[in-house]
Amino acid sequence: MDSRAGSARRVTVSPRTMLALFVGKLAAVMTRSLGKGGGTSLPGLLATRVQPHLVRELASQLQRGTIVVSGTNGKTTTSRMLASILTEAGVSVLRNASGSNLTRGVASALIARFDLWGTIRSEVSTFGLFEVDEAALPEVVELVQPSKLLLNNLFRDQLDRYGEVAMVARLWSKAIARLPAAAIVIANADDPLVAEVAVNNSECPLYFGISSVPDKGSTGEHASDVKTCPRCGGPIEYTLVTLGHLGHYRCSNCEFVRPEPVVCAENVRLRGIDGSDFTLAAGDVSASVHFPLPGLYNVYNALAAAAAATALGIDMSQIATALGNATAAFGRMERLEVDGHTVYLALAKNPAGLNEVMRTILQSSEKANLLMLLNDNTADGHDVSWIWDADVEMLAGHTGQVAFSGTRAPDMALRFKYAEVSDERGGKSRIELNTEAGLVHALAGLGAGEVLFVVPTYTAMLDVRGVLTRLGHVNPYWEE
Amino acid sequence: MRPTLHLVHLYPGLLNLYGDRGNIITLQKRCAWRGIELRVHQIGLGESLPPDPVDLYFMGGDQDREQTVVERDLRERHREAIQNHVSAGVPFLAVCGSYQLLQQYYRPAEGPELVGLGIIDAYTVHPGHDVPRCVGNIVVEWEGGTIVGFENHGGRTYLQAGAAPLGRVIQGHGNNGEDGFEGARTGNVFGTYVHGSLLPKNPAFADLLLHLALKPRYPDYELEPLDDSLEATAHDAAIRRARAMRG
Ligand SMILES: [Zn+2]
């Protein structure tokens, strides 16, 4: 019996939790009035100092359950698609802001939706959808006690933060061990590292994967992070490589093999920057998807969202419709109009991601104008050596104007020099450490109606968004 | 005469963690731009070395599981040939994990000690996973000026009497964070923790390797200087960035 409309409030939380909510809400009001990026992190940070169990207490009140989404690439895009599937199915969704994917970000999102008495502000039952940093996963899972855990992929990223890919796999095993007994693990069958974690730690994972891509074969890329079997260290063989180390694999030494996925994308046909077409299938139900986001990496994100929605009992045709209306998360091949030019913002923060972005650019443009933005701040990873593992060589002969910006612009310029990719307008490739100056110069160098591809790392993307916001071309990201 | 050099790249599929491919690309291009042909022989697990001549060896970094697999293959298949080559002056560049494999032994945080090739008179001890790794930008002073790059290693390396350091740490940790040394040089064998990648931003180091590789079979060949202004820009910018991020 819910007596929310009445005057007598049923207080379900402790005074300490109410104090934490008060502190968090105050911090949110103050950061917002100071215009400091929407307060997606500080409220949670302060409130959990007051009440360390805050997240557990609030998350346990989400009656529809919760899902925690993790993976090196695609957390935001996947969460965004899952949220729109659920919203269209009439489910109220509570999400943390992208980029605020540690415990404090989850706490901030909860604080914003609960009132000071610890009651959720919603007329319908609410589902919690939290995207979480790979390394923060054990802690967040322990606190949130989610009913679903979605593991999308495990790429080499920010090695200086996490040590190595194998260490993240160990953290994920720990996270699965902390799940409630009835929880479902949803895992990417095509990623051997994810599959090995899922198969070893979960009784009956729900797998998703790409069944067939007519244009792809078994050749790997240099960006591949996995050369040996995660179980025995023997050589691993592929009959299909979709991207990076993802695909159809089998160990030639032990019994380790790609698990058979339940939710599949069949017959994936890429349409360049315009997206792809595929058949979404689960068991004997299927639906065709005319998917507007580019690249196979986004097909994986769509599949991840579809698998989670399937586990939540959403209808396949409803899922397919929602995926057909998907829009890019900010900076993920996001299309903007700036001063009469079309500008694409395409985040690339590791070799596999950069390869996919470059492939998409090549499919859509004969001579691409590029602004490469390489930063080495903490959220980007301080180590920029990953750029040497990306196959920049594929751009040779296909570029127009090429410019470099960001704290490590000269490193990227050097990568292009050794790939023999040059500014084919004849000029010397411009290097500009300052992002704003780099963007202004790149736009000024374009001919009438020309397209510019801006390819930033994470903090460089925030920088360039900041510049575009100031110039009035986009909304601040916290308003999305 | 147009020289042809043979580079042996050991375990490229297994040891390529920190952009090691950048080192090979750099050697290839710096040869091609001078009309030198560089043939790269990629040698994987269970494969044999190419027939002589071998002019240069490269071996990259790794993750720990892969190191045990490599260690056995390296010792059982190639130890003798590599020892013969390096004692005849063939240069060898080993980065991160393979720097450790060329030493006397490696004592991991847990599990048995790994015997190395013993070509570099040094040993490495991993102090345990609760001790912070040596991570960050690194600047080293050596005979050719400065070396810049990035280091990321758990193990601490201690040089013994038979090995000279590659250089002195100006910023960063280097071999062990205690004695101020980075890397090792024994004859023409170079071991280092610097990646990032190492050679693109340190063209003097790349050219030293090529010079040493050419010397036995093409003693009179002089390396033509290249336009390294972009390399210098990136090198200097990396030093400034390393300083800025220290605080
Ligand atoms: Zn195996």
Side-chain angles (χ1 to χ4, degrees), chain B residues 55-58 85-94 102 119-120 143 166 184-191 205 208-216:
Chain B
D55 302 299
L56 178 58
Y57 280 96
F58 175 76
H85 281 134
V86 300
S87 51
V90 173
F92 195 127
L93 175 62
L102 294 193
I119 291 173
I120 294 175
E143 59 181 73
L166 176 62
R185 179 173 183 175
T186 302
N188 291 337
V189 179
F190 300 85
F205 199 156
L208 172 65
L209 291 171
L210 292 178
H211 167 77
L212 294 171
L214 285 160
K215 217 160 78 178

Side-chain angles (χ1 to χ4, degrees), chain A residues 156 159-161 163-167 170 222-233 235 375-378 382-393 407-408 410-411 413-415 417-420 428 431 433, chain B residues 12-23 25-27 29-30 32-33 45 62-66 69 129 133 135-137 149-150 152 195-197 200-201 203 227-231 233-234 237-238 240-242 245:
Chain A
R156 185 188 343 171
L159 271 167
D160 49 310
R161 264 176 75 200
E164 56 191 47
V165 166
M167 199 196 87
R170 283 196 293 276
H222 288 104
S224 180
D225 301 338
V226 187
K227 295 104 186 174
T228 54
C229 170
R231 189 170 299 172
C232 75
N375 275 2
D376 65 347
N377 299 316
T378 302
H382 298 307
D383 185 359
V384 296
S385 57
W386 64 268
I387 63 175
W388 292 91
D389 288 324
D391 298 324
V392 177
E393 286 76 7
T407 56
R408 286 292 195 150
D411 280 81
L414 205 54
R415 178 70 190 94
K417 175 182 174 176
Y418 279 85
E420 305 206 44
K428 259 201 162 182
I431 298 174
L433 298 188
Chain B
L14 294 165
L15 304 178
N16 178 26
L17 185 52
Y18 302 119
D20 290 316
R21 191 168 150 245
N23 294 322
I25 293 171
T26 302
L27 293 169
K29 294 294 175 189
R30 298 185 72 81
W33 291 333
L45 280 180
D62 65 340
Q63 303 198 18
D64 27 65
R65 145 147 264 157
E66 282 147 5
V69 184
H129 292 293
R133 295 170 68 83
V135 183
N137 290 300
F150 201 89
N152 185 347
H195 62 268
S197 304
K201 283 197 293 285
D227 175 5
D228 284 336
S229 49
L230 184 58
E231 285 80 351
T233 303
R240 278 198 301 277
R241 190 68 185 147
M245 288 174 78

Side-chain angles (χ1 to χ4, degrees), chain A residues 25-258:
Chain A
K25 283 180 176 294
L26 191 64
V29 169
M30 293 187 65
T31 47
R32 248 181 210 284
S33 68
L34 292 170
K36 300 246 185 223
T40 55
S41 177
L42 188 69
L45 181 66
L46 296 178
T48 51
R49 290 232 176 111
V50 175
Q51 168 58 291
H53 303 303
L54 183 73
V55 168
R56 183 174 302 155
E57 272 197 65
L58 300 184
S60 67
Q61 295 185 51
L62 300 172
Q63 296 138 344
R64 279 297 291 261
T66 46
I67 187 166
V68 167
V69 175
S70 199
T72 317
N73 289 334
K75 289 184 282 287
T76 302
T77 305
T78 302
S79 303
R80 206 178 147 96
M81 280 190 272
L82 180 55
S84 66
I85 296 169
L86 294 172
T87 307
E88 282 178 38
V91 179
S92 163
V93 178
L94 188 164
R95 269 180 77 191
N96 58 326
S98 71
S100 298
N101 54 17
L102 305 175
T103 302
R104 64 187 73 153
V106 173
S108 297
L110 287 162
I111 291 164
R113 284 283 282 274
F114 279 75
D115 65 19
L116 283 169
W117 291 268
T119 315
I120 189 152
R121 293 192 281 200
S122 175
E123 298 310 309
V124 288
S125 60
T126 300
F127 182 74
L129 198 176
F130 303 115
E131 57 178 281
V132 174
D133 181 87
E134 302 90 278
L137 202 60
E139 181 183 315
V140 174
V141 163
E142 172 82 43
L143 290 169
V144 170
Q145 291 291 296
S147 49
K148 313 269 182 299
L149 174 63
L150 173 57
L151 303 175
N152 195 352
N153 53 59
L154 192 39
F155 285 100
R156 185 188 343 171
D157 185 30
Q158 304 183 337
L159 271 167
D160 49 310
R161 264 176 75 200
Y162 302 149
E164 56 191 47
V165 166
M167 199 196 87
V168 179
R170 283 196 293 276
L171 285 173
W172 284 11
S173 302
K174 201 190 275 182
I176 295 177
R178 294 178 183 179
L179 283 171
I184 296 174
V185 174
I186 302 158
N188 190 341
D190 291 355
D191 186 332
L193 295 168
V194 171
E196 175 67 356
V197 168
V199 84
N200 284 341
N201 299 285
S202 166
E203 291 220 335
C204 192
L206 173 65
Y207 289 108
F208 61 89
I210 291 178
S211 308
S212 56
V213 187
D215 298 338
K216 285 266 178 180
S218 58
T219 18
E221 337 175 355
H222 288 104
S224 180
D225 301 338
V226 187
K227 295 104 186 174
T228 54
C229 170
R231 189 170 299 172
C232 75
I236 193 160
E237 282 167 8
Y238 286 85
T239 52
L240 170 72
V241 176
T242 49
L243 65 103
H245 62 274
L246 274 56
H248 296 185
Y249 52 84
R250 140 185 319 276
C251 175
S252 45
N253 186 49
C254 75
E255 72 293 349
F256 181 65
V257 61
R258 171 186 183 250

Side-chain angles (χ1 to χ4, degrees), chain B residues 21-154:
Chain B
R21 191 168 150 245
N23 294 322
I24 301 293
I25 293 171
T26 302
L27 293 169
Q28 260 170 335
K29 294 294 175 189
R30 298 185 72 81
C31 282
W33 291 333
R34 292 163 161 136
I36 301 169
E37 190 184 343
L38 182 73
R39 291 203 192 141
V40 179
H41 303 268
Q42 302 199 324
I43 307 299
L45 280 180
E47 292 175 5
S48 309
L49 293 179
D52 279 348
V54 170
D55 302 299
L56 178 58
Y57 280 96
F58 175 76
M59 214 168 141
D62 65 340
Q63 303 198 18
D64 27 65
R65 145 147 264 157
E66 282 147 5
Q67 187 164 307
T68 49
V69 184
V70 165
E71 180 258 335
R72 198 173 52 236
D73 194 79
L74 185 65
R75 197 158 28 83
E76 289 170 3
R77 298 187 140 268
H78 308 310
R79 180 187 192 133
E80 213 183 297
I82 292 173
Q83 266 166 346
N84 289 339
H85 281 134
V86 300
S87 51
V90 173
F92 195 127
L93 175 62
V95 179
C96 300
S98 30
Y99 170 33
Q100 296 166 347
L101 283 172
L102 294 193
Q103 298 166 17
Q104 305 291 3
Y105 64 88
Y106 177 83
R107 190 182 302 148
E110 53 221 38
E113 220 162 71
L114 299 174
V115 182
L117 286 201
I119 291 173
I120 294 175
D121 191 15
Y123 63 91
T124 297
V125 177
H126 194 299
H129 292 293
D130 47 341
V131 180
R133 295 170 68 83
C134 300
V135 183
N137 290 300
I138 178 165
V139 183
V140 177
E141 188 175 30
W142 74 310
E143 59 181 73
T146 45
I147 292 173
V148 293
F150 201 89
E151 61 179 325
N152 185 347
H153 52 104

